[in-house]
Amino acid sequence: ADDPQWRVVAPCVSVPQAATTNGTWVLSRLSGSKMLSISMVRKLDRKGYSLHISEVMNDYPGEDKQIAASYINKVIEREILRAPEQYLWVHRRFKTRPLGETSVY
Protein backbone atom coordinates (compact mmCIF):
# COMPACT_ATOMS: atom_id res chain seq x y z
CA ALA A 1 0.00 0.00 0.00
CA ASP A 2 3.02 2.31 0.39
CA ASP A 3 3.82 1.85 -3.30
CA PRO A 4 3.29 5.22 -5.07
CA GLN A 5 1.53 3.49 -7.99
CA TRP A 6 -1.39 2.87 -5.61
CA ARG A 7 -1.80 6.58 -4.92
CA VAL A 8 -3.22 9.57 -6.66
CA VAL A 9 -3.63 13.10 -5.33
CA ALA A 10 -7.21 14.28 -4.84
CA PRO A 11 -9.10 16.70 -2.55
CA CYS A 12 -10.27 15.13 0.71
CA VAL A 13 -12.24 16.87 3.45
CA SER A 14 -10.59 20.32 3.55
CA VAL A 15 -7.20 19.21 2.21
CA PRO A 16 -6.94 20.13 -1.49
CA GLN A 17 -3.97 17.84 -2.20
CA ALA A 18 -4.36 14.53 -0.34
CA ALA A 19 -2.54 11.32 -1.19
CA THR A 20 -5.37 8.89 -1.88
CA THR A 21 -5.36 5.18 -2.62
CA ASN A 22 -6.77 4.19 -5.97
CA GLY A 23 -7.73 0.77 -4.62
CA THR A 24 -11.45 1.46 -4.97
CA TRP A 25 -10.92 2.32 -8.63
CA VAL A 26 -8.85 -0.85 -9.21
CA LEU A 27 -11.43 -3.08 -7.50
CA SER A 28 -14.31 -1.48 -9.40
CA ARG A 29 -12.57 -2.10 -12.72
CA LEU A 30 -11.56 -5.67 -11.88
CA SER A 31 -14.94 -6.72 -10.51
CA GLY A 32 -17.33 -4.72 -12.67
CA SER A 33 -19.57 -4.60 -9.60
CA LYS A 34 -22.03 -1.87 -8.75
CA MET A 35 -20.70 0.46 -6.08
CA LEU A 36 -22.33 1.75 -2.91
CA SER A 37 -21.19 2.98 0.48
CA ILE A 38 -21.90 1.47 3.86
CA SER A 39 -21.22 3.22 7.17
CA MET A 40 -22.19 2.83 10.78
CA VAL A 41 -22.83 5.62 13.26
CA ARG A 42 -22.93 5.05 17.00
CA LYS A 43 -26.34 6.00 18.42
CA LEU A 44 -26.50 8.98 20.79
CA ASP A 45 -27.48 6.74 23.70
CA ARG A 46 -24.44 4.55 22.87
CA LYS A 47 -26.74 1.52 22.69
CA GLY A 48 -25.96 0.28 19.22
CA TYR A 49 -25.37 1.70 15.77
CA SER A 50 -27.33 3.01 12.82
CA LEU A 51 -26.42 1.36 9.54
CA HIS A 52 -26.37 3.62 6.46
CA ILE A 53 -26.34 2.00 3.02
CA SER A 54 -26.29 4.32 0.02
CA GLU A 55 -28.03 3.92 -3.28
CA VAL A 56 -25.94 2.42 -6.08
CA MET A 57 -23.41 4.94 -7.37
CA ASN A 58 -24.63 5.01 -10.95
CA ASP A 59 -22.50 8.08 -11.63
CA TYR A 60 -19.21 6.59 -10.37
CA PRO A 61 -16.53 7.76 -12.85
CA GLY A 62 -14.79 4.41 -13.31
CA GLU A 63 -12.82 5.28 -16.42
CA ASP A 64 -10.40 7.78 -14.83
CA LYS A 65 -8.57 7.00 -11.59
CA GLN A 66 -7.97 10.67 -10.73
CA ILE A 67 -11.64 11.64 -11.11
CA ALA A 68 -12.69 8.42 -9.34
CA ALA A 69 -10.42 9.24 -6.36
CA SER A 70 -11.97 12.71 -6.07
CA TYR A 71 -15.45 11.18 -6.27
CA ILE A 72 -14.74 8.56 -3.57
CA ASN A 73 -13.15 11.17 -1.31
CA LYS A 74 -16.39 13.18 -1.53
CA VAL A 75 -18.31 10.05 -0.56
CA ILE A 76 -15.97 9.52 2.40
CA GLU A 77 -16.37 13.15 3.43
CA ARG A 78 -20.16 12.83 3.30
CA GLU A 79 -19.99 9.76 5.53
CA ILE A 80 -17.63 11.47 8.00
CA LEU A 81 -19.99 14.43 8.23
CA ARG A 82 -22.83 12.15 9.42
CA ALA A 83 -21.02 12.14 12.78
CA PRO A 84 -17.66 13.91 12.57
CA GLU A 85 -17.12 13.47 16.30
CA GLN A 86 -17.00 9.71 15.71
CA TYR A 87 -14.37 9.79 12.96
CA LEU A 88 -10.92 8.52 13.96
CA TRP A 89 -9.22 11.92 13.64
CA VAL A 90 -6.05 10.64 15.36
CA HIS A 91 -5.47 8.49 12.26
CA ARG A 92 -2.97 10.55 10.28
CA ARG A 93 -4.93 10.32 7.02
CA PHE A 94 -2.95 13.18 5.48
CA LYS A 95 0.57 12.23 6.59
CA THR A 96 1.74 11.44 3.03
CA ARG A 97 2.04 14.73 1.20
CA PRO A 98 2.65 15.45 -2.47
CA LEU A 99 6.18 16.57 -3.30
CA GLY A 100 6.69 20.15 -2.10
CA GLU A 101 3.52 20.28 0.02
CA THR A 102 3.86 21.08 3.72
CA SER A 103 2.53 18.90 6.52
CA VAL A 104 -1.04 19.53 7.65
CA TYR A 105 -0.17 18.38 11.18
Side-chain angles (χ1 to χ4, degrees), residues 11-13 20-21 24 37 39 57 68-83 87 89 93-94:
C12 187
V13 188
T20 301
T21 178
T24 303
S37 68
S39 63
M57 297 176 199
S70 294
Y71 180 98
I72 287 298
N73 282 353
K74 287 178 188 169
V75 170
I76 291 168
E77 181 175 357
R78 183 186 71 227
E79 296 305 319
I80 289 170
L81 291 176
R82 284 185 190 277
Y87 183 69
W89 292 108
R93 166 69 180 81
F94 307 110

Side-chain angles (χ1 to χ4, degrees), residues 38-81:
I38 300 172
S39 63
M40 295 181 70
V41 176
R42 188 173 39 253
K43 292 181 179 180
L44 294 176
D45 64 5
R46 297 183 176 261
K47 294 181 180 178
Y49 294 84
S50 296
L51 178 65
H52 300 272
I53 303 173
S54 75
E55 298 291 325
V56 169
M57 297 176 199
N58 290 318
D59 57 347
Y60 178 74
E63 297 302 314
D64 182 287
K65 68 181 176 181
Q66 178 68 44
I67 296 170
S70 294
Y71 180 98
I72 287 298
N73 282 353
K74 287 178 188 169
V75 170
I76 291 168
E77 181 175 357
R78 183 186 71 227
E79 296 305 319
I80 289 170
L81 291 176

Side-chain angles (χ1 to χ4, degrees), residues 89-101:
W89 292 108
V90 296
H91 168 63
R92 292 173 49 93
R93 166 69 180 81
F94 307 110
K95 70 181 175 187
T96 302
R97 303 297 301 138
L99 189 61
E101 292 283 327

Side-chain angles (χ1 to χ4, degrees), residues 14-25:
S14 63
V15 178
Q17 299 282 335
T20 301
T21 178
N22 66 7
T24 303
W25 177 77

